């Protein structure tokens, strides 16, 4: 019999009353690994009640006390890194070499960063000729976090870290496809000494997410997911004028100039398309290569893709290309590849589903590279969220800036050049919230990240995010006798 997990409310796992459950499948085997109870009405009510109590206790603590508990959680996450990485790989299909090095580490980094800031949140004061005012940065209340399936524990940490450091409580709903990471994080927080109700986890599909977005007791929703879902969440949040943070999709460009180091440019393109089997929001799925270096770039890209990619059991340490999240998503990615071929792009590499010996039942797709792409092709315009790279030629700086910006998304962009003036000139014209120069994908906790245009609202990480999880109160002090015409 498969194990059945429950919702995590007020420091413990609780039963629902309807008995409704859903199954979680290991994408690398296609088999059900465990079941999870849906948060029904009883659980939902308990989650709100608990988060209210959690908020009252947590927000009344000294910031430095909150900080100590968060640091303790960081230590526990690091101690448990390898075991948590294994669970994350089973949920997501991602190679263990990634989850061990990145997923839990970067989640813990964010908690550590915000733990360090908790005690430095302050207001200011200004003299007004006797009278004066001062400001206080106060927490918002109960915040909701709604996560995507591609970086489950990292997303939960990135949302919880600033929210909790600022004194809020959080109810987090992970994706139905990957609910394990958030449950693990909740237990870590409890073991670290966090008061019950500060971080609750509710399970279920979009209906549970929609309930959170609408609920009047919730002050803010921090959402990670697709643009279409983000719009729904924002519309639902508007009924109670909730604050929102939206971390949404992208179709980011990587621009390889003629003076770039080609080996590094190929590394950037491969990292930004094949890491996490392409299921990364910031992926540079439109790779613009200057015509003078196009052939050299392609030669090395094809050689390295052919020789260096190892698809297989995500738990094997050599595997560097894992399984896509579901059969449905694999089929969607394959449909995009088919459309690419039909619309006239040249399939330079890959393009098919694969069944590696070590994981024959998994949802794998070969790393796929298209050339002879034009800007109006479906594969060049739409987010695919799989290992599918479109390579495009360009000849002129202004032309490529205009083409790079010619999208409704604006999450990220990268450029490879040795010319420092060009680097800044181009970056300043790119419509993207995150820009990498001679690098791609690095996202340290110190750096604020988020999208322009349809890619999002607000930021995660960086000091900036403290503003998104607090509200400013201005307090005016009348020191002189109050004058009145009445
Ligand atoms: P999704 O389908 O939009 O789902 C995201 C979350 O929203 C899931 O927990 C989902 O629940 C929930 N949800 C679905 N309908 C909802 C509704 N009406 N109200 C409230 N919540 C609802 O996205 P995904 O397929 O999980 O993730 C892939 C997308 O996330 C890509 O577009 C990717 O670019 C984006 N992403 C962005 C970032 C970033 O930082 N910008 C990071 C990672 C991913 P269920 O899944 O359980 O149905």
């Amino acid at each position: 019999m498969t194990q059945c997990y429950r919702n995590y409310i007020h420091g413990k796992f609780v039963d629902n009353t309807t008995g409704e459950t859903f199954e979680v499948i290991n994408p690398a085997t296609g088999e059900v690994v465990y079941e999870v109870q849906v948060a029904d009405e009883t659980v939902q009510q308990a989650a709100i009640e608990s988060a209210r109590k959690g908020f009252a206790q947590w927000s009344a603590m000294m910031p430095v006390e909150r900080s100590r508990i968060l640091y303790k959680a960081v230590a526990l996450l690091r101690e448990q890194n390898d075991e948590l990485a294994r669970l994350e790989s089973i949920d997501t299909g991602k190679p263990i070499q990634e989850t061990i090095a990145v997923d839990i580490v970067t989640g813990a980094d964010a908690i550590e960063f915000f733990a360090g800031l908790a005690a430095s949140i302050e207001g200011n004061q200004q003299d007004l000729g006797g009278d004066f005012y001062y400001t206080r940065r106060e927490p918002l209340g109960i915040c909701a976090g709604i996560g995507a399936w591609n970086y489950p524990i990292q997303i939960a940490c990135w949302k919880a870290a600033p929210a909790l450091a600022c004194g809020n409580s959080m109810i987090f709903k992970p994706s139905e496809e990957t609910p394990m990471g958030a449950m693990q994080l909740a237990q870590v927080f409890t073991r670290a000494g966090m008061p019950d109700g500060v971080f609750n986890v509710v399970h279920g599909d979009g209906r549970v997410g929609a309930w959170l977005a609408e609920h009047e007791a919730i002050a803010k929703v921090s959402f990670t997911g697709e643009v279409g879902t983000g719009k729904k969440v924002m519309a639902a949040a508007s009924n109670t004028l909730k604050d929102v943070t939206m971390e949404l999709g992208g179709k980011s460009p990587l621009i390889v100039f003629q003076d770039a180091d080609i080996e590094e440019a190929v590394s950037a393109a491969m990292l930004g398309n094949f890491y996490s089997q392409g299921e990364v929001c910031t992926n540079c799925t439109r790779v613009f290569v200057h015509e003078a270096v196009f052939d050299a770039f392609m030669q090395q890209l094809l050689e390295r893709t052919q020789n260096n990619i190892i698809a297989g059991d995500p738990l094997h340490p050599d595997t560097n290309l894992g399984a896509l999240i579901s059969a449905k998503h694999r089929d969607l990615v394959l449909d995009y590849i088919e459309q690419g071929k039909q619309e006239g792009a040249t399939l330079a590499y890959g393009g098919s589903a694969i069944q590696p010996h070590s994981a024959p039942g998994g949802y794998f797709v070969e790393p796929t590279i298209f050339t002879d792409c034009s800007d109006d092709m479906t594969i060049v315009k739409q987010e695919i969220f799989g290992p599918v790279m479109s390579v495009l030629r360009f000849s002129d700086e202004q032309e490529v800036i205009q083409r790079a910006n010619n999208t409704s998304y604006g999450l990220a962009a990268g450029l490879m050049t040795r010319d420092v003036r060009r680097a800044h000139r181009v970056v300043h014209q790119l419509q993207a919230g995150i820009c990498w120069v001679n690098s791609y994908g690095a996202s340290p906790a110190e750096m604020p990240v988020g999208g322009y245009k349809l890619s999002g609202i607000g930021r995660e990480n960086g000091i900036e995010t403290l503003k998104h999880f607090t509200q400013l109160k201005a307090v005016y002090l009348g020191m002189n006798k109050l004058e009145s015409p009445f």
Side-chain angles (χ1 to χ4, degrees):
M1 224 176 89
T2 51
Q3 187 166 357
C4 187
Y5 288 89
R6 295 169 294 164
N7 295 273
Y8 195 86
I9 311 292
H10 219 62
K12 56 181 189 297
F13 287 104
V14 302
D15 278 314
N16 65 9
T17 45
T18 58
E20 191 186 347
T21 59
F22 60 89
E23 294 177 334
V24 178
I25 290 170
N26 178 344
T29 63
E31 285 163 9
V32 175
V33 268
Y34 58 94
E35 290 181 14
V36 180
Q37 287 191 1
V38 172
D40 61 7
E41 226 177 288
T42 330
V43 172
Q44 293 177 4
Q45 273 176 17
I48 296 283
E49 231 7 79
S50 155
R52 273 203 182 105
K53 289 182 188 150
F55 174 67
Q57 192 179 345
W58 186 242
S59 58
M61 283 165 69
M62 293 225 334
V64 74
E65 290 178 281
R66 293 202 290 265
S67 175
R68 278 186 207 123
I69 291 171
L70 291 169
Y71 277 131
K72 184 84 199 297
V74 171
L76 292 172
L77 283 170
R78 294 210 167 116
E79 264 170 50
Q80 284 178 251
N81 183 71
D82 293 6
E83 176 53 14
L84 292 173
R86 203 182 68 83
L87 293 173
E88 198 72 336
S89 281
I90 292 169
D91 255 22
T92 58
K94 284 203 277 192
I96 188 102
Q97 59 167 254
E98 288 186 20
T99 51
I100 270 192
V102 172
D103 295 58
I104 292 84
V105 173
T106 54
D109 285 351
I111 300 176
E112 190 171 41
F113 175 73
F114 285 104
L117 293 174
S120 57
I121 299 169
E122 57 184 16
N124 60 0
Q125 178 277 335
Q126 198 171 10
D127 186 48
L128 300 166
D131 290 4
F132 67 94
Y133 84 89
Y134 66 93
T135 58
R136 289 165 51 80
R137 282 228 155 256
E138 298 184 345
L140 301 169
I142 308 173
C143 298
I146 302 176
W149 45 257
N150 62 336
Y151 275 81
I153 198 166
Q154 187 207 61
I155 290 173
C157 290
W158 283 19
K159 294 192 184 309
L164 305 192
C166 293
N168 304 284
S169 60
M170 175 164 268
I171 303 177
F172 189 86
K173 189 202 93 64
S175 163
E176 256 196 321
E177 272 152 329
T178 56
M180 182 57 78
M183 283 191 276
Q184 294 296 325
L185 178 64
Q187 292 173 84
V188 162
F189 281 148
T190 298
R191 281 203 296 280
M194 191 172 284
D196 295 340
V198 175
F199 188 77
N200 292 328
V201 178
V202 291
H203 294 294
D205 60 18
R207 286 167 298 171
V208 176
W211 160 74
L212 283 170
E214 278 163 17
H215 202 287
E216 59 183 10
I218 289 171
K220 174 182 175 105
V221 188
S222 177
F223 173 82
T224 298
E226 288 177 2
V227 172
T229 322
K231 287 180 183 173
K232 285 187 203 160
V233 169
M234 214 171 145
S238 72
N239 282 330
T240 46
L241 290 182
K242 284 182 182 54
D243 196 349
V244 292
T245 294
M246 293 277 147
E247 293 290 339
L248 308 176
K251 193 73 194 173
S252 302
L254 173 72
I255 307 172
V256 179
F257 285 99
Q258 57 272 42
D259 63 343
D261 178 316
I262 296 302
E263 194 184 334
E264 283 193 48
V266 170
S267 295
M270 289 181 75
L271 268 173
N273 278 278
F274 303 147
Y275 203 72
S276 290
Q277 55 285 336
E279 295 168 330
V280 183
C281 53
T282 51
N283 267 0
C284 51
T285 45
R286 296 182 294 144
V287 179
F288 293 94
V289 183
H290 191 274
E291 59 188 4
V293 292
F294 191 89
D295 292 345
F297 176 89
M298 280 309 298
Q299 192 193 345
Q300 201 179 127
L301 173 66
L302 292 172
E303 246 173 57
R304 287 171 59 181
T305 304
Q306 184 153 32
N307 298 332
N308 300 348
I309 301 263
I310 304 169
D313 177 4
L315 297 180
H316 193 287
D318 291 342
T319 297
N320 60 17
L321 189 86
L324 294 178
I325 191 67
S326 63
K328 189 174 157 208
H329 187 57
R330 174 200 57 199
D331 294 345
L332 192 77
V333 171
L334 291 172
D335 281 352
Y336 273 117
I337 293 172
E338 208 38 55
Q339 275 193 65
K341 289 194 273 187
Q342 275 170 18
E343 289 177 20
T346 302
L347 183 62
Y349 193 88
S352 306
I354 37 171
Q355 293 182 297
H357 290 306
S358 57
Y363 312 128
F364 292 84
V365 170
E366 285 177 295
T368 298
I369 300 167
F370 278 108
T371 54
D372 300 317
C373 301
S374 58
D375 296 357
D376 58 353
M377 286 177 179
T378 308
I379 53 165
V380 180
K381 290 199 300 197
Q382 292 187 16
E383 184 181 45
I384 300 175
F385 227 55
V388 183
M389 183 192 309
S390 296
V391 191
L392 303 115
R393 278 174 198 267
F394 77 94
S395 54
D396 171 74
E397 186 180 300
Q398 275 313 309
E399 166 216 333
V400 79
I401 293 169
Q402 184 270 323
R403 289 171 65 193
N405 287 337
N406 187 21
T407 165
S408 51
Y409 292 111
L411 188 56
L415 55 97
M416 308 298 294
T417 178
R418 290 184 173 101
D419 179 339
V420 69
R421 286 186 178 157
R422 168 160 39 213
H424 295 286
R425 187 170 64 229
V426 174
V427 157
H428 294 178
Q429 295 175 76
L430 289 173
Q431 296 162 359
I434 313 161
C435 291
W436 286 286
V437 179
N438 295 334
S439 182
Y440 208 88
S443 201
E446 294 83 351
M447 185 173 94
V449 288
Y452 280 18
K453 303 197 274 190
L454 284 188
S455 291
I457 293 176
R459 292 294 177 268
E460 286 193 328
N461 289 342
I463 294 178
E464 172 69 21
T465 301
L466 294 178
K467 289 191 188 149
H468 297 290
F469 280 99
T470 50
Q471 51 197 335
L472 198 64
K473 179 177 280 172
V475 183
Y476 185 102
L477 252 291
M479 301 295 287
N480 304 304
K481 183 172 168 43
L482 183 63
E483 301 288 346
S484 167
F486 309 112

